[in-house]
Amino acid sequence: MWVERLRNFFARRVDSDRFLGLELTVSLLVAGGGIWLFSALLDAVLDNATMVRLDRATDAWIHAHVTSSGLTFFQHVSQAGSPVSMTILAVAGGGLLWWYRRTPMLVTWSAAFAGSGILAAVVKVAVKRGRPTYGAAYLTHASYSFPSGHSSGSFIGIAMTLFVISTYGILKGAWFGVATVLGAAFVILVGVSRVYLGVHYPSDVIGGYAVSAAWGAICIGVAGIVLHARGRSLSS
């Protein structure tokens, strides 16, 4: 009997026709994975051991191989993924969701963007990790290094945009695949730009991705559960 119950439980967890199936399972896995990765990175940074030495070695190697054209290119990429750009995306997307009266998605969208930014800022102040020594010229304001705000912001911005596109079927099939690949490439380039410009260590970038992945998945998961209990969905 317990075998049958266990089989039914897992079958429900991967059922793509219900939110409390595959979608919730994916949300929980992403949230759990993001929290685990972020915790591991935070512990390594605070421990000031292997990860920190690797960060500094990578930073020094990249700085020794930068070119003027590379700096120019990654400056533009960094600006495209900046908190200002992601704030514009958040406001524009929120405005469209409000215009079309997609209230559940609007609340989830707003919580994802706001929470991601707040979490990154709080962790920066709590950890107080100093910046690399090479990128002072590319810092727009004084702040701590871990996690990268550009990385966390661009991750949540692209991830939530793709989630909205998927939920409402704006792009389907191969077109959605292309959008996903382009979005992922953009997020990766933003992270690389922060390391190339010398304003962040690699672990800062990965930490930014992790905190936003976890928070975004939590927002989507909680919203889906609450709306499911009310007989609604995020697409309503």
Side-chain angles (χ1 to χ4, degrees):
M1 181 65 70
W2 67 269
V3 175
E4 185 64 27
R5 290 179 179 176
L6 188 63
R7 184 184 296 113
N8 291 336
F9 173 80
F10 283 110
R12 289 193 295 270
R13 296 292 73 77
V14 296
D15 186 354
S16 60
D17 293 329
R18 45 192 291 176
F19 177 82
L20 297 184
L22 183 60
E23 290 186 36
L24 180 59
T25 300
V26 172
S27 296
L28 290 174
L29 289 174
V30 172
I35 292 171
W36 174 83
L37 178 57
F38 181 77
S39 299
L41 287 169
L42 181 59
D43 181 66
V45 169
L46 294 176
D47 188 48
N48 199 32
T50 305
M51 177 66 74
V52 174
R53 291 196 297 270
L54 181 60
D55 274 340
R56 289 173 179 170
T58 302
D59 185 48
W61 185 88
I62 291 175
H63 180 71
H65 294 82
V66 298
T67 64
S68 58
S69 57
L71 289 172
T72 300
F73 172 74
F74 281 117
Q75 274 185 278
H76 290 304
V77 172
S78 186
Q79 290 172 358
S82 69
V84 173
S85 299
M86 293 302 106
T87 299
I88 293 173
L89 173 62
V91 172
L96 286 172
L97 292 170
W98 175 81
W99 178 262
Y100 287 105
R101 301 182 184 278
R102 305 295 187 181
T103 304
M105 184 63 81
L106 173 60
V107 173
T108 306
W109 173 275
S110 302
F113 275 93
S116 175
I118 292 172
L119 278 173
V122 169
V123 174
K124 278 179 181 287
V125 174
V127 177
K128 292 183 171 63
R129 187 185 197 186
R131 295 275 186 169
T133 57
Y134 303 114
Y138 300 102
L139 290 173
T140 56
H141 63 279
S143 65
Y144 295 110
S145 191
F146 183 87
S148 165
H150 280 65
S151 299
S152 63
S154 61
F155 187 100
I156 202 71
I158 296 301
M160 289 305 297
T161 299
L162 290 173
F163 179 67
V164 169
I165 289 174
S166 173
T167 300
Y168 296 116
I170 298 172
L171 293 176
K172 298 180 181 180
W175 287 111
F176 180 73
V178 170
T180 301
V181 170
L182 291 176
F186 173 75
V187 172
I188 292 171
L189 279 174
V190 171
V192 171
S193 76
R194 304 306 285 166
V195 178
Y196 193 92
L197 295 175
V199 294
H200 278 293
Y201 295 109
S203 61
D204 299 335
V205 170
I206 299 173
Y209 293 158
V211 72
S212 283
W215 178 250
I218 289 171
C219 289
I220 292 171
V222 170
I225 292 172
V226 172
L227 290 169
H228 178 80
R230 297 178 180 179
R232 302 180 64 188
S233 70
L234 280 170
S235 61
S236 60

